[in-house]
Amino acid sequence: MFVVLVLVGALSLCNAYPNGAPKDACATMMPGHKYANLTTVHAQTTPSPYKVMVASSQYSPGATLKVMIVGPQFEGFLLQARHNGNTAPVGAFSNPPTDTKAVTCTSGSDSMTHANPNAKQNITLTWTAPSDARADVMFIATVAQEKNMFWLNNTSPMVTLAQGYKKEVYGNDV
Ligand SMILES: *[C@@H]1O[C@H](CO)[C@@H](O)[C@H](O)[C@H]1NC(C)=O
Ligand SMILES: *[C@@H]1O[C@H](CO)[C@@H](O)[C@H](O)[C@H]1NC(C)=O
Ligand SMILES: *[C@@H]1O[C@H](CO)[C@@H](O)[C@H](O)[C@H]1NC(C)=O
């Protein structure tokens, strides 16, 4: 009941989801915005103007890394760390910069999203790896320049787990 009310409430806003991505978006990272005629707004198919950059190409369990979304000003986003080819978020975010917030998709503060539609640019997010990390990670984001214009699958380069830790392999990791 609560979920239904929240969804109906969100859809009726003319600026859908001004306060962050809905939980439905956790796995697909699709904002689920609708036009006034209720058809779904699709992702842009042009090359994305956004890059997700990570301060380091390697990490250790429990380490904290800075992750940046770089590009033109944008209003909304959803960003997670994931194992290659897997939709479950990994690790936790802290110290959300202005106009952003950490949210829970699976557990803890495992995802970051916008707190409002204010213009944002080149934001830096703070991620902490699980203390029992076992695999390489990448960061993936949906970035909405404006409500009806968003790019999916903005991915960072792979961040490899430092040598010496017991490793699990996902997707095409080596
Ligand atoms: C719904 O509205 C959008 C935006 O105005 C338009 O591009 C799309 O073609 C419309 N779809 C239908 C089925 O009318
Ligand atoms: C954002 O980063 C890009 C690429 O590094 C840079 O060209 C641009 O000036 C930066 N914009 C701001 C507002 O920092
Ligand atoms: C995003 O990635 C997923 C999984 O790799 C793929 O199914 C989907 O088609 C991609 N979407 C776009 C817009 O590139």
Side-chain angles (χ1 to χ4, degrees):
M1 188 57 172
F2 177 72
V3 171
V4 169
L5 288 176
V6 169
L7 285 176
V8 170
L11 288 175
S12 69
L13 292 174
C14 47
N15 191 358
Y17 315 121
N19 305 317
K23 214 165 167 176
D24 280 8
C26 282
T28 62
M29 300 195 108
M30 279 283 291
H33 292 168
K34 309 266 193 208
Y35 292 113
N37 61 19
L38 295 184
T39 59
T40 299
V41 180
H42 292 292
Q44 296 294 304
T45 52
T46 54
S48 175
Y50 298 100
K51 283 196 166 34
V52 177
M53 298 166 67
V54 189
S56 173
S57 59
Q58 207 183 63
Y59 80 103
S60 300
T64 294
L65 296 186
K66 299 289 186 193
V67 184
M68 274 184 93
I69 298 176
V70 175
Q73 286 194 344
F74 59 97
E75 294 181 358
F77 72 101
L78 177 65
L79 179 139
Q80 298 174 345
R82 292 179 172 185
H83 296 307
N84 196 3
N86 199 303
T87 57
V90 178
F93 292 89
S94 57
N95 301 324
T98 311
D99 300 328
T100 77
K101 64 184 180 185
V103 289
T104 301
C105 273
T106 306
S107 70
S109 299
D110 59 18
S111 306
M112 288 294 300
T113 188
H114 51 286
N116 56 50
N118 293 353
K120 300 158 187 73
Q121 194 168 25
N122 295 359
I123 56 173
T124 301
L125 308 170
T126 305
W127 178 79
T128 300
S131 54
D132 60 350
R134 291 283 175 80
D136 300 344
V137 295
M138 54 180 269
F139 292 84
I140 180 164
T142 295
V143 184
Q145 194 159 334
E146 50 180 284
K147 184 188 144 200
N148 293 338
M149 186 186 268
F150 67 90
W151 284 266
L152 279 176
N153 293 356
N154 296 279
T155 51
S156 74
M158 198 60 75
V159 184
T160 54
L161 181 61
Q163 282 191 344
Y165 297 99
K166 188 180 170 193
K167 217 156 158 182
E168 288 167 3
V169 174
Y170 288 82
N172 302 317
D173 297 0
V174 232

